[in-house]
Amino acid sequence: MNVLPSTYDTWGVIASILIACFASYVTLELARRVQTHAGWAAVLWWLGGSLVMATGIWAMHFVGMLAFSLPIDLGYSVFWTTMSFLAALVVSGVALGLASGRTLGRARLVAGSLAMGAGISGMHYIGMHALDMVPGIVWHWGMVALSVVIAVAASAAALGIFFWLRKVEDESRPLRQVVAAMVMGAAIAGMHYTGMEAAGFPVGSICGSADALGSDGLAGGITLACGVVLLLALLTSQYDARVRRHARRMEVSLQQANTDLQAANEELRQRAFIDPLTGLANRLLFEDRLNHAVARLDRVNDTVSSRHAEKVAVLFIDLDGFKPVNDTYGHGAGDEVLKEVARRLNREMRDSDTAARVGGDEFLLLIEAAGGAADCVALARRVVASIAQPYDLGTDRVAIAASIGIAIHPDHGPGTRLVAHADAAMYAAKAMGGSSYAVFEPGMGNAAQEQITLQNDLKQAVDKGQLELHYQPKMSSAQSQFSGVEALLRWNHPDRGIISPALFIPIAERFGLIGEIGNWVIQEACRQMAAWTDAGLNMRVAINISAHQLRDPQLVTKIDLALREHRVSPSRLLCEITESVAMEDVETTQRTFENLAKVGVFLSIDDFGTGYSSLSYLRKLPAQQLKIDRSFVLDLETSGDARAVVDAVVRLAHALGLRVVAEGVETQGQRDILMAMGCDELQGYLFARPMGAQALMRWIKGTKPDGTPDFTPSVIHPDLL
Ligand code: C2E
Ligand code: CA
Ligand code: CA
């Protein structure tokens, strides 16, 4: 049979192959989008992607058809051309659906390739049907079969390539994707032109649809439109990928910050219970264990006859001659000795016992299930002997000794008095010359006697005008200006001179005198602030609030009244509350904080790092400031741990929107580290010691308390802080 000779328009063929490659590239890109999204976003990408992909495949096919010509007029029926587009749409939907799967098993690959191959072939031959030929096309069935095989193979290649590309995430990916797109494009075009070769048009054929689609400019128009669609899809997809990458990075960095915060919190927790130098328990943990042991024992003893009763003992261990070692050999050597003492204690005690370091050179041992005084004495003897062994300090060997006081519950009184009684017994042992032990006896509590004397004097301190507030400047680290003061209480004792608040505040707390003293502080601070304001000095003054005051339901009213009475703006007053106190009774603290905040007073969490704060709780307190405890600042230059904690605390505080103040800054080195970490304010002897109101005035005017001119510290207005 004679067939009409067919020809191809070269540009049309090139255009169709380019479209095939470009469409493949964009399709690979879109498939990735479908895969990285989930839910509705994935469905939308799938729908949009299928539309774009179908446009690409179909345009390739149709432009290829338009490039084909016979010596007779050809045209394509609108209906079948549209149907061929719908076929392309179905193929694309299936293909992208498959690509969005997590994995590609062999069964999926085979089924997917067959479906896609059938779809592409379907599209092609439906498209050919748009040529309404009379007589019909004569098919070369071998070529038809070959075109279908090529379509299936091209589909398999496309799917395989996609899943293979997916694993590549480095900079070579775009290039690989281009190569893959060219392979796919060639395969699709190969299928198309093989399919065209399968068609024979007998001589004398007429095209019934010659008046339909087929004008000269159509191929160019479709190429252009399809190119634009593909390009837009590509840009959208790349923009989406960028946004996703960015979001992912944000997520990772947020997660990192969160992990850091948790680590810092954990670190703080550790510090709350462990003595960082020796690794022994600290006082908090010790007291907790002691309370539990006593409570357990009291329960057991209620049910057992007293002959078999169990006991709990406390050994109070104080080193003799430690201070001279520290002074002569330095703190480093002192620390080594303390660590060695801790090791020796650990060696002497049982696993069920608890050793704690509770002061510079003071240790406590808690003996649970103690047999009786004899056992404790035996242990004390061993400890005395062990600690008396010389300590190796590299070049020198030094000797120290220990004085031990023993108190046993229930023999020597209630559990709550156990430590105090062991302490009293320890003093008795020291009085005997040291390096020995003493078991508690009533009458040893003379130290307690001293407290009672002080307490009697303290009762009259307010009335006799023996109290005074000193003020210590705080510096703003950013502007190296002076940003406010902390009021610190001083007691001018008629016989003993100035007594530190560290000594008398605990007594005042214990004997219920803190209320009156605390009120005096509030009144005095407000009076002084008013006087300063009159003198043109506007600055924020911090006062310290004790645990007892915090529990006083009248506290907020008292502060409010004092502020009004002296016409002081509430925001000038800052209340410092020690972290451990704030954590004692969380609910009360929160209520008091909230009420104080309502009055307009600023709030600060003092001695931070020594208590047991939880992040979630801190977040709830309406505080403006957090003061890092002096002990951390002290170790900054020597301890990486201290630096890590302070760094974490600063970041944590800033994350919670709090200003960070470091107290006890004594050296330039500490100052530099704190400033580098972003501490907002600094306070310490490096800048100024606490001083009376007049001395402060002189200091501000540029003269040191002793009269020598110094520098002029400018005051930052509190509203700027
Ligand atoms: P705090 O609130 O932690 O006050 C800071 C303490 O560190 C003050 O001791 C201050 O003089 C001292 N200090 C400041 N800079 C440095 C430094 O560079 N190096 C060293 N080593 N120490 C520095 P102070 O005045 O003896 O007060 C001790 C504690 O007594 C205060 O600790 C506070 O808890 C309590 N306190 C003081 N005044 C009052 C008060 O009016 N009411 C209550 N409830 N407690 C008060
Ligand atoms: Ca304070
Ligand atoms: Ca403090």
Side-chain angles (χ1 to χ4, degrees):
M1 180 195 63
N2 280 335
V3 292
L4 292 171
S6 58
T7 50
Y8 286 96
D9 172 43
T10 319
W11 287 114
V13 172
I14 291 176
S16 75
I17 295 176
L18 286 180
I19 291 177
C21 293
F22 192 24
S24 301
Y25 186 88
V26 174
T27 301
L28 287 173
E29 188 80 20
L30 293 173
R32 283 164 57 79
R33 294 294 90 216
V34 178
Q35 216 170 35
T36 46
H37 283 279
W40 275 109
V43 172
L44 282 180
W45 274 107
W46 173 71
L47 281 176
S50 304
L51 208 62
V52 170
M53 183 180 166
T55 309
I57 296 180
W58 175 82
M60 178 273 140
H61 155 83
F62 197 57
V63 169
M65 298 280 277
L66 291 174
F68 173 82
S69 57
L70 292 173
I72 56 171
D73 269 355
L74 292 179
Y76 298 86
S77 96
V78 176
F79 176 76
W80 290 108
T81 303
T82 309
M83 290 314 281
S84 73
F85 178 79
L86 289 181
L89 198 57
V90 172
V91 180
S92 305
V94 171
L96 276 187
L98 280 172
S100 68
R102 287 278 141 238
T103 51
L104 182 71
R106 186 171 300 166
R108 246 173 114 84
L109 177 67
V110 171
S113 311
L114 286 176
M116 276 172 69
I120 293 178
S121 309
M123 172 200 73
H124 178 81
Y125 291 106
I126 292 172
M128 296 276 297
H129 201 65
L131 278 175
D132 180 12
M133 301 306 294
V134 181
I137 300 174
V138 179
W139 295 102
H140 182 304
W141 292 107
M143 292 293 267
V144 171
L146 181 62
S147 76
V148 174
V149 169
I150 292 178
V152 172
S155 303
L159 282 174
I161 285 172
F162 173 72
F163 278 92
W164 163 73
L165 257 185
R166 217 179 52 151
K167 298 199 193 87
V168 184
E169 266 312 339
D170 54 20
E171 63 278 13
S172 72
R173 203 182 60 81
L175 186 67
R176 292 184 192 224
Q177 191 167 327
V178 168
V179 174
M182 279 162 57
V183 170
M184 276 170 64
I188 295 172
M191 178 271 148
H192 175 86
Y193 290 106
T194 312
M196 294 299 282
E197 279 312 297
F201 300 88
V203 173
S205 294
I206 309 173
C207 179
S209 52
D211 294 337
L213 300 173
S215 64
D216 286 347
L218 191 59
I222 289 178
T223 307
L224 198 68
C226 167
V228 169
V229 168
L230 291 174
L231 197 66
L232 280 180
L234 186 65
L235 292 178
T236 313
S237 153
Q238 285 181 347
Y239 175 74
D240 180 68
R242 261 236 311 284
V243 170
R244 299 266 308 177
R245 267 203 302 279
H246 184 69
R248 179 87 200 113
R249 269 205 299 277
M250 288 286 288
E251 200 176 300
V252 168
S253 78
L254 269 180
Q255 266 166 6
Q256 185 58 43
N258 201 29
T259 324
D260 288 356
L261 270 184
Q262 271 168 3
N265 219 19
E266 189 48 41
E267 180 90 41
L268 289 177
R269 249 166 227 229
Q270 288 279 336
R271 291 215 52 144
F273 286 131
I274 302 293
D275 167 47
L277 179 66
T278 59
L280 297 180
N282 67 7
R283 185 182 285 275
L284 213 62
L285 180 56
F286 183 88
E287 282 174 357
D288 188 55
R289 296 237 171 113
L290 175 62
N291 291 342
H292 277 108
V294 168
R296 200 177 319 126
L297 183 88
D298 290 348
R299 268 199 311 274
V300 172
N301 285 356
D302 279 349
T303 57
V304 177
S305 77
S306 65
R307 218 151 45 86
H308 297 103
E310 292 230 23
K311 296 173 200 293
V312 167
V314 168
L315 268 61
F316 200 117
I317 304 163
D318 190 273
L319 302 183
D320 305 325
F322 174 72
K323 197 170 176 309
V325 170
N326 222 9
D327 293 346
T328 314
Y329 297 96
H331 288 286
D335 287 353
E336 285 314 311
V337 169
L338 291 174
K339 283 193 224 168
E340 176 59 22
V341 168
R343 276 193 287 273
R344 294 182 190 182
L345 284 180
N346 269 325
R347 222 178 296 144
E348 298 304 334
M349 66 188 204
R350 296 171 307 178
D351 284 348
S352 54
D353 302 340
T354 300
R357 176 164 168 255
V358 292
D361 60 351
E362 291 173 350
F363 297 84
L364 285 173
L365 274 187
L366 170 66
I367 321 289
E368 299 190 41
D375 289 356
C376 296
V377 165
L379 175 61
R381 276 208 184 110
R382 286 207 307 278
V383 171
V384 167
S386 170
I387 290 180
Q389 298 290 318
Y391 294 77
D392 213 340
L393 293 181
T395 49
D396 277 306
R397 299 178 92 197
V398 298
I400 55 171
S403 297
I404 302 183
I406 304 169
I408 300 169
H409 171 74
D411 307 6
H412 300 143
T416 46
R417 303 292 303 144
L418 213 47
V419 172
H421 285 163
D423 188 8
M426 185 277 292
Y427 268 106
K430 254 197 187 357
M432 293 185 298
S435 197
S436 66
Y437 61 87
V439 181
F440 176 77
E441 286 166 20
M444 276 180 172
N446 284 339
Q449 189 52 48
E450 147 134 353
Q451 289 204 346
I452 292 171
T453 322
L454 266 187
Q455 172 233 330
N456 277 327
D457 296 346
L458 195 53
K459 274 184 190 151
Q460 303 155 32
V462 174
D463 291 340
K464 292 191 173 166
Q466 293 168 353
L467 295 183
E468 194 186 341
L469 282 183
H470 279 197
Y471 301 89
Q472 186 179 32
K474 291 180 185 173
M475 313 298 290
S476 140
S477 51
Q479 303 158 66
S480 28
Q481 277 172 322
F482 151 53
S483 56
V485 291
E486 174 176 7
L488 293 158
L489 192 54
R490 296 291 176 263
W491 179 13
N492 273 311
H493 192 279
D495 308 326
R496 296 160 154 243
I498 289 191
I499 298 183
S500 157
L503 186 74
F504 71 84
I505 295 277
I507 299 181
E509 287 245 328
R510 204 171 309 151
F511 295 100
L513 302 170
I514 193 72
E516 195 191 350
I517 293 176
N519 290 345
W520 181 85
V521 171
I522 295 169
Q523 281 290 336
E524 173 61 11
C526 289
R527 188 200 60 73
Q528 187 61 64
M529 281 158 89
W532 277 330
T533 309
D534 289 345
L537 188 58
N538 277 310
M539 61 182 171
R540 190 165 289 147
V541 176
I543 58 172
N544 290 281
I545 303 289
S546 75
H548 179 93
Q549 282 176 289
L550 199 63
R551 284 191 294 269
D552 175 7
Q554 295 299 312
L555 175 71
V556 180
T557 318
K558 282 174 188 163
I559 290 180
D560 194 21
L561 283 177
L563 288 167
R564 287 172 200 275
E565 183 185 330
H566 296 283
R567 294 176 211 280
V568 175
S569 153
S571 67
R572 294 286 139 87
L573 185 68
L574 179 70
C575 290
E576 295 191 1
I577 291 126
T578 301
E579 184 200 17
S580 52
V581 169
M583 298 303 142
E584 251 167 38
D585 180 350
V586 173
E587 269 169 39
T588 310
T589 305
Q590 179 148 7
R591 201 170 339 109
T592 311
F593 264 54
E594 275 163 7
N595 290 334
L596 281 172
K598 269 187 214 142
V599 170
V601 172
F602 275 42
L603 298 160
S604 172
I605 298 169
D606 206 352
D607 301 341
F608 188 77
T610 54
Y612 187 86
S613 294
S614 83
L615 236 182
S616 53
Y617 175 51
L618 262 185
R619 192 176 274 157
K620 282 194 216 138
L621 292 180
Q624 283 82 10
Q625 191 182 81
L626 196 148
K627 286 183 94 172
I628 298 178
D629 188 58
R630 198 168 70 221
S631 60
F632 297 98
V633 175
L634 190 67
D635 295 344
L636 266 188
E637 285 166 297
T638 51
S639 151
D641 273 357
R643 277 195 297 277
V645 171
V646 173
D647 189 45
V649 169
V650 171
R651 290 194 298 143
L652 183 141
H654 284 166
L656 296 174
L658 299 169
R659 280 175 75 82
V660 188
V661 182
E663 64 182 1
V665 182
E666 291 183 357
T667 69
Q668 200 72 40
Q670 292 164 350
R671 188 190 87 137
D672 293 345
I673 295 175
L674 288 162
M675 281 178 64
M677 286 177 177
C679 242
D680 304 292
E681 288 175 49
L682 307 175
Q683 179 184 352
Y685 294 169
L686 177 66
F687 309 101
R689 290 182 175 255
M691 51 195 138
Q694 287 179 352
L696 180 75
M697 213 49 174
R698 283 197 296 276
W699 183 81
I700 292 172
K701 291 215 176 96
T703 17
K704 281 185 175 169
D706 60 9
T708 53
D710 192 14
F711 68 105
T712 310
S714 45
V715 187
I716 308 179
H717 197 278
D719 294 346
L720 296 177
L721 292 172

Coordinates of all heavy atoms in Angstrom, one line a residue, residues 469 472 486-490 500-502 505 514 521 544-546 549 576 578 606-607 627 630 663-666 683-686 688 690, ligand 1:
L469 N 20.4 52.5 107.2 CA 20.5 51.9 105.9 C 21.8 52.4 105.2 O 22.1 53.6 105.2 CB 19.3 52.2 105.0 CG 18.0 51.4 105.3 CD1 16.9 51.8 104.3 CD2 18.3 49.9 105.2
Q472 N 24.4 50.6 98.3 CA 25.5 50.2 97.4 C 25.0 50.4 96.0 O 24.0 50.0 95.5 CB 25.8 48.7 97.6 CG 27.0 48.3 96.8 CD 27.4 46.9 96.9 OE1 26.5 46.0 97.2 NE2 28.7 46.6 96.9
E486 N 21.2 49.6 96.1 CA 20.5 48.6 97.0 C 20.7 49.0 98.4 O 21.8 49.4 98.8 CB 21.2 47.2 96.8 CG 20.5 46.2 97.8 CD 21.0 44.8 97.6 OE1 22.0 44.5 96.8 OE2 20.5 43.9 98.3
A487 N 19.6 49.1 99.1 CA 19.7 49.5 100.6 C 20.0 48.2 101.4 O 19.4 47.2 101.3 CB 18.3 50.0 101.0
L488 N 21.1 48.4 102.2 CA 21.5 47.2 103.0 C 21.5 47.7 104.5 O 22.0 48.8 104.8 CB 22.9 46.8 102.6 CG 22.9 46.1 101.2 CD1 24.3 46.2 100.6 CD2 22.4 44.7 101.2
L489 N 21.0 46.8 105.3 CA 20.7 47.2 106.7 C 22.0 47.1 107.5 O 22.8 46.2 107.4 CB 19.6 46.3 107.2 CG 19.0 46.6 108.5 CD1 18.4 48.0 108.6 CD2 17.8 45.6 108.8
R490 N 22.2 48.1 108.4 CA 23.3 48.0 109.4 C 22.8 48.2 110.8 O 21.9 49.0 111.0 CB 24.3 49.1 109.1 CG 25.0 49.0 107.7 CD 25.9 47.8 107.6 NE 26.5 47.5 106.3 CZ 26.0 46.7 105.4 NH1 24.9 46.0 105.7 NH2 26.6 46.5 104.3
S500 N 26.7 42.7 111.2 CA 26.3 42.4 109.8 C 24.9 41.9 109.8 O 24.5 41.1 110.6 CB 27.3 41.4 109.2 OG 26.6 40.7 108.1
P501 N 24.1 42.3 108.7 CA 22.8 41.8 108.6 C 22.8 40.2 108.5 O 21.8 39.6 108.8 CB 22.2 42.4 107.4 CG 23.4 42.9 106.6 CD 24.5 43.2 107.7
A502 N 23.9 39.7 107.9 CA 24.0 38.3 107.7 C 23.9 37.6 109.1 O 23.4 36.5 109.2 CB 25.3 37.9 107.0
I505 N 19.9 39.3 110.8 CA 18.6 39.1 110.1 C 18.1 37.7 110.4 O 16.9 37.5 110.8 CB 18.7 39.3 108.6 CG1 19.1 40.8 108.3 CG2 17.5 38.9 107.9 CD1 17.9 41.7 108.2
I514 N 11.5 40.4 112.7 CA 11.8 40.9 111.4 C 10.7 41.8 110.9 O 10.9 42.7 110.1 CB 12.0 39.7 110.4 CG1 12.6 40.2 109.1 CG2 10.7 39.0 110.1 CD1 14.1 40.6 109.2
V521 N 12.7 49.4 107.5 CA 13.5 49.5 106.3 C 12.6 50.1 105.2 O 13.1 51.0 104.5 CB 14.0 48.1 105.8 CG1 14.6 48.2 104.4 CG2 15.0 47.6 106.8
N544 N 15.6 44.8 100.5 CA 15.5 43.3 100.6 C 14.3 42.9 101.4 O 14.0 43.5 102.5 CB 16.8 42.8 101.3 CG 18.0 42.9 100.3 OD1 18.1 42.1 99.4 ND2 18.7 44.0 100.5
I545 N 13.6 42.0 100.9 CA 12.4 41.5 101.6 C 12.7 40.1 102.2 O 13.1 39.2 101.4 CB 11.2 41.4 100.6 CG1 10.9 42.7 99.9 CG2 9.9 40.9 101.3 CD1 10.3 43.8 100.8
S546 N 12.4 39.9 103.4 CA 12.7 38.6 104.0 C 11.6 37.6 103.8 O 10.5 38.0 103.4 CB 13.0 38.8 105.5 OG 11.7 39.0 106.2
Q549 N 8.5 38.5 105.8 CA 7.8 39.6 105.3 C 6.9 39.2 104.1 O 5.8 39.6 103.9 CB 8.7 40.7 104.8 CG 9.3 41.6 105.9 CD 10.3 42.6 105.4 OE1 11.4 42.2 105.0 NE2 9.9 43.8 105.3
E576 N 13.8 43.2 96.4 CA 14.6 42.0 96.1 C 14.1 40.8 97.0 O 14.1 41.0 98.2 CB 16.1 42.3 96.4 CG 16.6 43.3 95.4 CD 18.2 43.4 95.5 OE1 18.8 42.7 96.2 OE2 18.7 44.3 94.7
T578 N 14.9 36.8 97.8 CA 15.9 35.7 97.6 C 15.1 34.6 96.9 O 14.0 34.2 97.3 CB 16.5 35.3 98.9 OG1 17.1 36.4 99.5 CG2 17.5 34.2 98.7
D606 N 16.5 37.6 94.0 CA 17.9 37.8 94.5 C 18.6 36.4 94.6 O 17.9 35.4 94.7 CB 17.8 38.4 95.9 CG 19.0 39.2 96.3 OD1 20.0 39.1 95.6 OD2 19.0 39.9 97.3
D607 N 19.9 36.5 94.7 CA 20.7 35.2 95.0 C 20.3 34.1 94.0 O 20.3 33.0 94.4 CB 20.5 34.8 96.4 CG 21.0 35.8 97.4 OD1 21.7 36.8 97.0 OD2 20.6 35.8 98.6
K627 N 19.0 38.6 90.0 CA 20.4 38.8 90.5 C 21.1 37.5 90.6 O 20.7 36.6 91.4 CB 20.3 39.6 91.8 CG 19.9 41.0 91.7 CD 20.0 41.7 93.1 CE 21.3 42.4 93.3 NZ 21.3 43.2 94.5
R630 N 26.3 35.8 94.3 CA 27.7 36.2 94.4 C 28.6 35.0 94.3 O 29.7 35.1 93.7 CB 27.9 36.9 95.8 CG 29.2 37.7 95.8 CD 29.2 38.5 97.0 NE 29.4 37.8 98.2 CZ 28.8 38.0 99.4 NH1 27.9 39.0 99.4 NH2 29.0 37.3 100.4
E663 N 26.0 40.4 91.3 CA 26.4 41.1 92.5 C 27.8 40.5 93.0 O 28.2 39.4 92.6 CB 25.4 41.0 93.6 CG 25.1 39.6 94.0 CD 24.0 39.5 95.1 OE1 23.5 40.5 95.4 OE2 23.8 38.3 95.5
G664 N 28.4 41.3 93.8 CA 29.7 40.8 94.3 C 30.8 40.8 93.3 O 31.8 40.0 93.4
V665 N 30.7 41.8 92.4 CA 31.8 42.0 91.4 C 33.0 42.7 92.1 O 32.9 43.8 92.5 CB 31.3 42.8 90.2 CG1 32.4 42.9 89.1 CG2 30.1 42.2 89.6
E666 N 34.1 42.0 92.2 CA 35.3 42.5 92.9 C 36.4 42.8 92.0 O 37.3 43.6 92.3 CB 35.7 41.6 94.0 CG 34.6 41.5 95.1 CD 35.1 40.6 96.3 OE1 36.2 40.0 96.2 OE2 34.3 40.6 97.3
Q683 N 27.2 45.0 90.3 CA 27.2 45.6 91.7 C 28.3 44.9 92.4 O 28.5 43.7 92.3 CB 25.9 45.3 92.3 CG 25.7 45.8 93.8 CD 24.4 45.4 94.4 OE1 23.5 44.8 93.7 NE2 24.2 45.6 95.7
G684 N 29.1 45.7 93.2 CA 30.2 45.0 93.9 C 31.3 46.0 94.3 O 31.2 47.2 93.9
Y685 N 32.2 45.5 95.1 CA 33.2 46.3 95.7 C 34.1 47.0 94.6 O 34.7 48.0 94.9 CB 34.1 45.5 96.6 CG 33.4 45.0 97.9 CD1 34.0 44.1 98.7 CD2 32.1 45.5 98.2 CE1 33.3 43.6 99.9 CE2 31.5 45.0 99.3 CZ 32.0 44.1 100.2 OH 31.4 43.6 101.3
L686 N 34.1 46.4 93.4 CA 34.9 47.0 92.4 C 34.5 48.4 92.1 O 35.3 49.3 91.8 CB 34.8 46.1 91.1 CG 35.5 46.6 89.9 CD1 37.0 46.6 90.0 CD2 35.1 45.8 88.6
A688 N 31.9 50.2 94.2 CA 31.7 50.9 95.4 C 31.2 49.9 96.5 O 30.5 49.0 96.2 CB 30.7 52.1 95.3
P690 N 28.9 49.4 100.1 CA 27.7 50.0 100.6 C 28.2 51.2 101.5 O 29.2 51.1 102.2 CB 27.1 48.9 101.5 CG 27.7 47.6 101.0 CD 29.0 48.0 100.5
Ligands
C2E1 P1 22.3 40.4 99.7 O1 21.0 40.9 99.4 O2 22.8 39.3 98.8 O3 23.3 41.7 99.6 C1 24.5 41.7 99.1 C2 25.6 41.5 100.1 O4 26.8 41.4 99.4 C3 25.7 42.7 101.0 O5 26.1 42.2 102.2 C4 26.8 43.5 100.4 O6 27.5 44.3 101.3 C5 27.7 42.4 99.9 N1 28.5 42.8 98.8 C6 28.3 43.7 97.8 N2 29.3 43.7 97.0 C7 30.2 42.8 97.4 C8 31.5 42.4 96.9 O7 32.0 42.9 95.9 N3 32.1 41.4 97.5 C9 31.6 40.9 98.7 N4 32.3 39.9 99.3 N5 30.4 41.2 99.2 C10 29.7 42.2 98.5 P2 25.5 42.7 103.6 O8 25.3 44.1 103.6 O9 26.3 42.1 104.7 O10 24.1 41.9 103.6 C11 24.0 40.5 103.7 C12 22.7 40.0 103.5 O11 21.8 40.5 104.5 C13 22.0 40.6 102.2 O12 22.5 39.8 101.2 C14 20.6 40.4 102.5 O13 20.2 39.1 102.2 C15 20.5 40.6 104.0 N6 20.0 42.0 104.2 C16 20.6 43.2 104.1 N7 19.8 44.2 104.4 C17 18.6 43.7 104.6 C18 17.3 44.2 104.8 O14 17.1 45.4 104.9 N8 16.3 43.3 105.0 C19 16.5 42.0 104.8 N9 15.4 41.2 105.0 N10 17.6 41.5 104.6 C20 18.7 42.3 104.4

